[in-house]
């Protein structure tokens, strides 16, 4: 019955919006994963708000993984907002033909993080072990990446309005959310 209520709420969204958006939400309940998809005029953050109003306050602050769009963030509930490192990676992958050396460097840094995560999954680490592994191996990689990104902008080595400058600024502007995997379990 609650799912039908959520679908009805989604249909009541602003008639001024012309686009159709699809939101995927993965939740865990009693050790099972539940996947919900919403298609309609509401943005991801609004759909998440509709879900979270049914969530018990006793469960603690939920993790929210999304892109960095403001419309993806919940407006009514506190979450630990995490941004997807793959989105940042893709910004560099999309422009690598124009900035091959710079993009290859950034993609190699991020690739090292993904390799660490692959190893963690391969050996079956739990979320706390995985966090500690990332803190040990991925933290220095991300610190080196941040230093390089900062240097490009502070020393005016890259034009901020260029495609590379925009990709770098995306990472710098969302650094905390992009690096939650270094401080938040799960």
């Amino acid at each position: 019955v609650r799912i039908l209520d959520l679908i009805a709420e989604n249909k009541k969204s602003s008639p001024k919006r012309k686009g159709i958006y699809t939101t995927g939400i993965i939740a865990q309940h009693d050790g099972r994963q539940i996947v919900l998809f919403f298609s309609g005029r509401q943005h991801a953050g609004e759909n998440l708000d509709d879900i979270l109003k049914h969530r018990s306050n006793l469960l603690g602050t939920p993790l929210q993984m999304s892109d960095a769009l403001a419309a993806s963030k919940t407006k009514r509930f506190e979450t630990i907002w995490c941004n997807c490192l793959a989105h940042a990676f893709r910004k560099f992958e999309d422009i690598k033909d124009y900035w091959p050396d710079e993009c290859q460097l950034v993609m190699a840094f991020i690739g090292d993080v993904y390799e660490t995560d692959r190893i963690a999954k391969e050996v079956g680490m739990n979320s706390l072990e995985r966090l500690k592994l990332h803190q040990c191996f991925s933290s220095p990689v991300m610190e080196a990446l941040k230093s390089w990104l900062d240097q490009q902008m502070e020393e005016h080595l890259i034009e901020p309005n260029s495609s590379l400058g925009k990709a770098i600024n995306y990472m710098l502007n969302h650094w905390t959310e992009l690096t939650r995997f270094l401080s938040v379990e799960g």
Side-chain angles (χ1 to χ4, degrees):
V1 174
R2 283 188 174 171
I3 296 298
L4 295 176
D5 292 339
L6 294 171
I7 292 168
E9 288 173 22
N10 195 356
K11 289 181 179 179
K12 287 190 263 180
S13 64
S14 173
K16 294 179 183 178
R17 292 186 186 158
K18 303 295 182 207
I20 297 293
Y21 308 96
T22 298
T23 305
I25 298 175
I26 301 172
Q28 292 187 5
H29 181 69
D30 291 335
R32 294 184 177 170
Q33 281 195 339
I34 302 166
V35 181
L36 303 172
F37 289 96
F38 298 89
S39 290
R41 304 249 186 253
Q42 290 196 148
H43 293 291
E46 295 164 325
N47 288 326
L48 186 55
D49 278 333
D50 288 345
I51 293 286
L52 291 178
K53 74 181 179 186
H54 299 284
R55 188 174 189 269
S56 170
N57 293 334
L58 302 174
L59 294 175
T61 308
L63 295 178
Q64 177 184 353
M65 172 62 77
S66 68
D67 58 23
L69 288 174
S72 296
K73 188 162 175 33
T74 176
K75 305 288 188 272
R76 294 185 281 162
F77 296 92
E78 180 184 353
T79 64
I80 299 171
W81 196 23
C82 310
N83 289 161
C84 181
L85 199 53
H87 281 88
F89 181 93
R90 211 169 15 250
K91 291 190 178 298
F92 292 92
E93 187 175 46
D94 289 347
I95 60 170
K96 69 183 177 196
D97 292 342
Y98 305 102
W99 306 90
D101 296 337
E102 295 87 345
C103 291
Q104 197 58 40
L105 179 71
V106 172
M107 291 164 40
F109 278 125
I110 296 172
D112 287 348
V113 171
Y114 278 112
E115 178 61 16
T116 299
D117 205 51
R118 185 194 64 76
I119 291 167
K121 289 177 183 175
E122 187 176 283
V123 300
M125 290 184 171
N126 65 38
S127 59
L128 180 58
E129 292 167 333
R130 190 170 155 223
L131 172 63
K132 290 182 185 281
L133 184 73
H134 276 299
Q135 287 172 336
C136 183
F137 292 101
S138 298
S139 188
V141 171
M142 293 304 287
E143 287 171 18
L145 174 57
K146 179 135 181 0
S147 290
W148 185 85
L149 297 169
D150 285 336
Q151 179 186 21
Q152 302 312 298
M153 301 314 284
E154 290 168 5
E155 296 181 13
H156 307 285
L157 301 173
I158 300 298
E159 169 60 41
N161 291 324
S162 69
S163 56
L164 181 58
K166 289 177 182 178
I168 289 172
N169 277 320
Y170 176 87
M171 284 203 76
L172 292 173
N173 291 337
H174 303 288
W175 190 258
T176 300
E177 294 81 12
L178 287 167
T179 58
R180 291 268 195 237
F181 69 95
L182 298 173
S183 60
V184 178
E185 184 180 339

